[in-house]
Amino acid sequence: MEDIMKKYLSILLAVLTLTLSMFGCGNAAANQSQSSSQPEVDVNGTHTVIDHGGNTVEVPNKITRVVIDQIPILSTYMSYFQGSTPNIVGYCGSFKDTITKTVLKDIAPELMQSADTVYAQSDLNIEEVMKLNPDVIFYNANNASHAQILKSSGISCVGFATVGGDTEADPLARYQQWLDLLEDVFGEDGKMDNFKNAGNAIIADVEKRIATVPEDKRPSAMILWKYSDGVPQVSGKGTFGTYWLKRLGVKDVVVDEAKGFTQVNMEQVYRWDPDILFLDGPGLLSLKTSDFLNNKVSGTDFSTLTAVKNKRVYDTTLGMWNWFTPNPDAPLVYAWMAYNTYPEAFADYPLKETIKEYYQKWYGYTVTDKDMEEMLQY
């Protein structure tokens, strides 16, 4: 009996040992699999990024100090970090005034504390940039003179395309290209997929509604980009404005006669006589809808325009950034423009609710009634 008992215990011990061994191997395999799918990053190392200028740039794996020169990417950077702007130690000083006119100052108030490193969009103070000891500098890929100065600093410099890049200057595509490049810089591939998908769903809905409007029912339109001392500047062929109006499916009255951001005379504007006049926003144009409807534009009479007579002058003075340039609100801008361009097709479109949900979910910001009034101007 004693021999049988010893034999039984021996077998039990062997089984138990085998089980524990298999369990341990299973855990080891699981841990190895997890480790291989999420490799540990060398925080002291670098990785390669190809920017929008086609440059191959070595950037640090760990980035804690960022300087932004000229490129209007502050709002897109904020969306990348879901409502905050960590690591920014300096940016183009002329942007600070723009921020004060937008809701961005409320979402990411820390931006108002960042040091100015560029005192105007055309100026660059490389000595001040160097004092900030940045890990990486973001700049306008199309500004060759800035690129040369910045690269000579030895700091990792990443160029972001605006107008004039290899790809078309479509704001609905450009802001996503900026997000893709930020993923590359920070080594977080796919981080913004859900955000981009949400925007694309809004875009698809808007496009579906626009498609229901017959071609002969579509109005003509123009974007007034800037205005100074009686001289208007329009958004001509190849600019962001071109692609907004192309997306809307309207007749762009300036596209065949103006290229780029072009100064024109009022005789041309009178001749074009658009059905709809869109006004550029913060940082570029201070005029508002009421200035046109009440004929209070200094130096020029816009009252004879069809758009003014029919009160189809639309201005956005808030938003995340200047709404007509690439920014993370781009799908909302498209919805806003289409909503005003085709009121019948968008009669049941929940514009305000869409904006509020978007800001709350993606920026963690509650849009107030005052915000909405300033944003939509009605």
Side-chain angles (χ1 to χ4, degrees), residues 49-80:
V49 168
I50 298 178
D51 70 10
H52 292 159
N55 304 297
T56 300
V57 186
E58 286 290 326
V59 299
N61 289 338
K62 183 178 181 181
I63 296 174
T64 60
R65 300 181 69 81
V66 176
V67 165
I68 298 176
D69 166 45
Q70 194 186 49
I71 186 75
I73 200 172
L74 290 174
S75 60
T76 305
Y77 187 95
M78 178 282 304
S79 70
Y80 187 83

Side-chain angles (χ1 to χ4, degrees), residues 88-103:
I88 295 179
V89 294
Y91 60 85
C92 175
S94 60
F95 289 159
K96 187 164 287 187
D97 180 63
T98 299
I99 294 171
T100 64
K101 299 179 177 68
T102 72
V103 75

Side-chain angles (χ1 to χ4, degrees), residues 242-258:
T242 297
Y243 295 96
W244 279 126
L245 299 186
K246 183 178 179 180
R247 286 275 192 166
L248 283 175
V250 298
K251 179 184 177 182
D252 184 345
V253 296
V254 312
V255 71
D256 293 330
E257 298 184 44

Side-chain angles (χ1 to χ4, degrees), residues 21-36:
S21 176
M22 292 176 63
F23 181 79
C25 289
N27 278 349
N31 290 336
Q32 185 178 9
S33 175
Q34 184 176 7
S35 177
S36 63

